[in-house]
Amino acid sequence: MAIVVALDVLLAQRGLSVGAFADAVGITPANVAVLKNGRAKAVRFTTLEAICRTLDCQPGDVLRWVPDEESANG
C-alpha cells in the first residue's frame, strides 16, 4: 500500500514555485520536498488544511491511496 502525494502536479497546474508554496503554507521548502517525494511519515491536519487552502483543493486532490500492485508496477 502506498499513499501518493500529488503536490508536484498541483503546483505545476497552479504555476506555484516550491518556495512560494512553502511560504503560503507555512512550512519549509525542505518539508515540501519530503511531501513531494513521498518520504513523509505523517501530515498534521493543520498543514493539510493550509495546503488545501493555498491550492484551493480537497485533501483527496493532494493524497491518494494506491494498492501494492499499482505502486509496484509504476
Side-chain angles (χ1 to χ4, degrees), residues 21-22 24-27 35 42-54 59 63:
F21 174 72
V25 172
I27 60 177
L35 286 169
V43 179
R44 294 175 190 249
F45 279 176
T46 54
T47 302
L48 184 57
E49 178 185 1
I51 289 169
C52 290
R53 185 180 332 103
T54 300
L63 304 173

Side-chain angles (χ1 to χ4, degrees), residues 2-46:
I3 300 295
V4 176
V5 182
L7 274 181
D8 50 351
V9 173
L10 294 168
L11 291 178
Q13 288 174 344
R14 287 154 177 81
L16 276 174
S17 70
V18 169
F21 174 72
D23 286 343
V25 172
I27 60 177
T28 66
N31 281 337
V32 174
V34 168
L35 286 169
K36 283 177 53 173
N37 296 326
R39 295 186 318 241
K41 298 295 179 194
V43 179
R44 294 175 190 249
F45 279 176
T46 54

Side-chain angles (χ1 to χ4, degrees), residues 51-72:
I51 289 169
C52 290
R53 185 180 332 103
T54 300
L55 297 175
D56 189 27
C57 67
Q58 294 294 314
D61 298 328
V62 178
L63 304 173
R64 177 172 61 90
W65 174 75
V66 178
D68 285 335
E69 303 81 48
E70 280 186 50
S71 61

